[in-house]
Amino acid sequence: MSSRSSGHDVVVVGSGGAGLVAACAAADVGARVLVLEAADRFGGTTALSGGQMWIPGSEQMRRAGYEDSRGDALRYLERVTLGATPQETLEAFLDQGPRLANYLENDLGIALQAVARHDYHPDWAGARFGRSLEPAPVPTAGLGTLRDRVLKSDSRGPLTAAESRTGLDEATLRARRDADVRTQGSG
């Protein structure tokens, strides 16, 4: 049976970050979307991860006070991809990455923040500070019964990447745990 005959325009296989964003983007333009997930909870590997996205030149990066340039990001990408990625693909990533971050924030309501850390190779030409983005802490109270259907990591507390390095006062940590606030990939 085709997806068209089953009443769906788009079928997304997997409910990780990429799949759910694709489903939302398709629904935003009027497509009838079906998300298929094999596990009993959704979120995929993303929900277990640090949940960071490497997006040079983002508005979130600028808001945090970090500077970037397209030329530097391109130099860094050319080296990190060992020249194996076509130039037009690298440039498309640089153009579309900030648009994705803005879509997540402005259309899907997922607040993002720049992570205060260097690129993986800070000594390489074009490297910068603050290109990685992560979701801000997410309260789950509004999810109702869906809260228990979202996968979360047992090894990651309710801390952002920065907070996991610097710590968080005990009262805030306890309040987040009590409210089941999610961060990083499950955020």
Side-chain angles (χ1 to χ4, degrees), residues 16 33 63 82 87 116 118 131 136 153 166 169 171 183 185:
V33 179
R63 267 197 325 248
L82 304 173
Q87 190 75 19
H118 284 285
R131 285 178 171 154
S153 171
T166 62
D169 67 89
T183 59

Side-chain angles (χ1 to χ4, degrees), residues 97-178:
R99 288 186 61 210
L100 168 66
N102 289 339
Y103 172 73
L104 292 172
E105 279 200 332
N106 301 329
D107 294 277
L108 299 184
I110 301 170
L112 298 174
Q113 55 196 23
V115 178
R117 71 174 183 83
H118 284 285
D119 288 337
Y120 285 123
H121 304 284
D123 55 324
W124 287 7
R128 284 286 183 269
F129 198 83
R131 285 178 171 154
S132 294
L133 306 178
E134 71 174 338
V138 177
T140 60
L143 292 177
T145 59
L146 284 178
R147 177 176 34 194
D148 295 333
R149 305 237 5 246
V150 178
L151 186 61
K152 74 176 185 176
S153 171
D154 292 330
S155 65
R156 297 181 187 275
L159 303 164
T160 65
E163 293 166 346
S164 66
R165 287 190 297 279
T166 62
L168 193 63
D169 67 89
E170 188 58 38
T172 303
L173 188 58
R174 188 174 25 260
R176 283 189 187 174
R177 282 191 181 120
D178 292 345

